[in-house]
Amino acid sequence: DTENTVSESLINNIGLNKYLNNSSKNNGCMFIYKISSYKDVETIIDQYLNDEQIKISAIFIDSFAGLINDCYTEIDNKHQSIVNSNTNFESRPASLFMAKYSALTSRYKVALVMTNQYRMKLDFRNNQSSSKEFGPKAVKYNTDTLIKISQHSYLKDEFKLEFDNSVKLDLKIVKSNKMRPDTVCSCYLEYGNGINEIMLFIEDMLRNNIIEKSGAYYTITIDGNAYKFHGINEMYN
């Protein structure tokens, strides 16, 4: 956890609380470390990969963009180096890290899963902005599967379901040796609880006219009886 975002309530909501610091190896266990530098992360991963008593199945890094180059913490003038046009401070550690652990995890048959982020790059001189992913070359060349997650852009003829605490996302395959690139699927993400499959089910029933929508009201007919609900949350409940 490089961004200090993993909490006990989040672990409980996604159903992993029984694995947290579990001493019973037969049922599996999960350990969480809140660290942010490449050096510290490497120390932890190397420790587990070389431990003959513990067999690691997967390593999750949330997020890759949250890893900090140790140069930033060891220089006298941080501001000068951060604004320096030379990007080696950022790109070289990312490349070395990706190359090392994509090879090691493959050798030890360990899944390495990382979230990443897009950053808004501002060009004040030309009054322009663009989105740029963190460590694009290092990530692209050293991963087997790359999935871009973005908020769903609704078309005119689509149902837009405003469900509390939820957002519809598109997952696009950018790189994969098992699926065709540019393959896209959608899902509803409920904050703190993960993927909400019921919302996709409701959307499918609307598309097939099993549920009728009129303004803010939703109506479903069962055995000749019409049930009417005000708002998606009322019908969902």
Side-chain angles (χ1 to χ4, degrees):
D1 176 18
T2 68
E3 299 178 340
N4 199 30
T5 55
V6 178
S7 62
E8 186 176 346
S9 61
L10 176 63
I11 296 299
N12 289 334
N13 288 339
I14 60 180
L16 294 176
N17 52 308
K18 65 180 180 180
Y19 300 109
L20 188 59
N21 299 324
N22 187 3
S23 59
S24 175
K25 296 179 182 179
N26 293 331
N27 295 328
C29 57
M30 176 178 65
F31 302 99
I32 298 176
Y33 294 90
K34 294 181 179 292
I35 48 181
S36 59
S37 75
Y38 285 100
K39 184 186 295 183
D40 291 340
V41 172
E42 287 189 35
T43 299
I44 295 295
I45 295 178
D46 290 346
Q47 171 189 328
Y48 281 104
L49 289 180
N50 293 316
D51 192 330
E52 296 181 356
Q53 302 299 319
I54 298 178
K55 169 58 181 172
I56 290 187
S57 299
I59 299 169
F60 295 88
I61 298 178
D62 182 17
S63 71
F64 182 57
L67 290 176
I68 301 172
N69 182 5
D70 297 305
C71 294
Y72 286 135
T73 61
E74 296 172 359
I75 54 179
D76 295 329
N77 190 339
K78 298 179 184 179
H79 180 72
Q80 181 179 356
S81 295
I82 290 174
V83 299
N84 195 319
S85 60
N86 186 346
T87 60
N88 285 336
F89 280 108
E90 182 178 287
S91 60
R92 183 159 175 75
S95 299
L96 292 174
F97 182 88
M98 287 296 302
K100 174 182 177 180
Y101 289 105
S102 61
L104 280 177
T105 51
S106 176
R107 182 195 306 172
Y108 287 98
K109 298 186 180 343
V110 176
L112 177 60
V113 183
M114 298 183 293
T115 63
N116 203 5
Q117 299 172 3
Y118 274 77
R119 294 176 173 178
M120 186 63 71
K121 185 177 181 181
L122 302 177
D123 183 354
F124 294 105
R125 182 176 299 175
N126 299 311
N127 195 27
Q128 295 178 344
S129 65
S130 59
S131 294
K132 180 183 179 183
E133 67 269 34
F134 178 81
K137 290 184 179 179
V139 172
K140 184 176 181 180
Y141 293 134
N142 290 286
T143 53
D144 296 322
T145 303
L146 194 59
I147 303 173
K148 180 181 178 181
I149 304 174
S150 57
Q151 191 162 343
H152 181 76
S153 297
Y154 286 91
L155 301 175
K156 290 183 179 180
D157 57 345
E158 281 188 287
F159 295 103
K160 189 172 185 180
L161 304 180
E162 300 288 351
F163 182 69
D164 286 349
N165 208 32
S166 180
V167 64
K168 188 176 182 180
L169 301 176
D170 288 332
L171 285 73
K172 179 180 180 180
I173 299 294
V174 177
K175 177 186 177 183
S176 173
N177 55 5
K178 294 183 179 180
M179 294 184 67
R180 184 175 63 83
D182 296 331
T183 300
V184 180
C185 68
S186 299
C187 71
Y188 283 90
L189 183 70
E190 187 176 0
Y191 296 108
N193 290 312
I195 293 176
N196 189 323
E197 295 181 351
I198 297 177
M199 289 297 291
L200 281 177
F201 181 56
I202 292 174
E203 186 181 86
D204 201 39
M205 288 195 291
L206 280 163
R207 190 180 299 111
N208 289 281
N209 299 317
I210 299 171
I211 296 176
E212 295 182 358
K213 184 178 185 298
S214 177
Y217 289 91
Y218 296 82
T219 304
I220 182 169
T221 302
I222 302 174
D223 294 332
N225 298 314
Y227 299 88
K228 194 172 186 178
F229 304 94
H230 182 264
I232 185 69
N233 293 284
E234 184 178 314
M235 186 193 67
Y236 179 92
N237 293 329

